[in-house]
Amino acid sequence: MPRAKKPPKPKITADQRKDWRNLPLEHWNVLTLQQMFVDLNRDHYGVTVYIPMRGYGFEQGVLKRALTDYGPEALRETITRAFREYKPTLQYPQLTAGFMVSFMLSRIMPQVLAEQARVEKQAEYCGDSADNNVLTDDEIIDLF
């Protein structure tokens, strides 16, 4: 008996991938992250031409590795925090992806991962679902 074919996944265009503010996290890739750096440099520091550290190939490699290792949600939060912390100078007027991954990721990412773990543990412990309630309604009424 032949297998039923899965419906094809919707194609995501390059322009859609560059729209990192509206693209769901499960569709993020290196192009999305690079565009995020370009946009945030323009928004925060007024940099009109983004010049990557050691070339686009280097930055694509380090971003791909970080995306694979930590996932898009943690990486997005790390990048956001890095832009809040970075102070541009005349010598270094922009924050590059290569610099962020090479020198800031090791300091910020553990904080982000610890916070995510804390939130997940808290949600698991104090979840809103009825499955997490230890006492039944009758037992609660009997307590009063």
Side-chain angles (χ1 to χ4, degrees):
M1 180 174 216
R3 285 183 155 175
K5 289 186 177 181
K6 293 180 183 178
K9 292 182 182 179
K11 296 282 185 181
I12 299 174
T13 65
D15 288 336
Q16 290 172 322
R17 291 231 186 255
K18 288 180 180 181
D19 187 15
W20 58 273
R21 290 179 175 98
N22 297 317
L23 187 66
L25 285 173
E26 63 267 10
H27 298 297
W28 278 39
N29 66 6
V30 173
L31 179 62
T32 310
L33 293 169
Q34 284 182 317
Q35 189 62 43
M36 183 179 185
F37 271 92
V38 170
D39 291 346
L40 289 176
N41 271 296
R42 185 182 57 246
D43 297 345
H44 286 264
Y45 313 125
V47 174
T48 55
V49 177
Y50 179 79
I51 301 171
M53 176 182 167
R54 295 175 56 186
Y56 282 104
F58 171 76
E59 285 198 349
Q60 289 169 347
V62 295
L63 286 173
K64 177 65 176 172
R65 188 174 307 115
L67 189 61
T68 303
D69 290 346
Y70 305 111
E73 185 176 358
L75 196 54
R76 178 186 60 187
E77 178 62 24
T78 301
I79 293 168
T80 303
R81 288 184 187 192
F83 270 94
R84 275 190 250 137
E85 293 179 12
Y86 184 73
K87 303 287 187 258
T89 63
L90 288 175
Q91 191 174 7
Y92 303 107
Q94 68 179 355
L95 175 60
T96 64
F99 180 84
M100 192 281 303
V101 172
S102 299
F103 299 106
M104 299 177 84
L105 185 83
S106 61
R107 181 173 41 83
I108 299 172
M109 185 60 77
Q111 299 168 5
V112 170
L113 294 176
E115 187 175 311
Q116 284 181 345
R118 183 188 57 78
V119 168
E120 287 175 10
K121 188 174 183 180
Q122 184 177 9
E124 180 182 308
Y125 181 73
C126 302
D128 295 333
S129 67
D131 298 339
N132 291 333
N133 292 336
V134 178
L135 301 174
T136 65
D137 292 340
D138 294 332
E139 291 171 333
I140 293 172
I141 291 171
D142 290 341
L143 288 174
F144 295 109

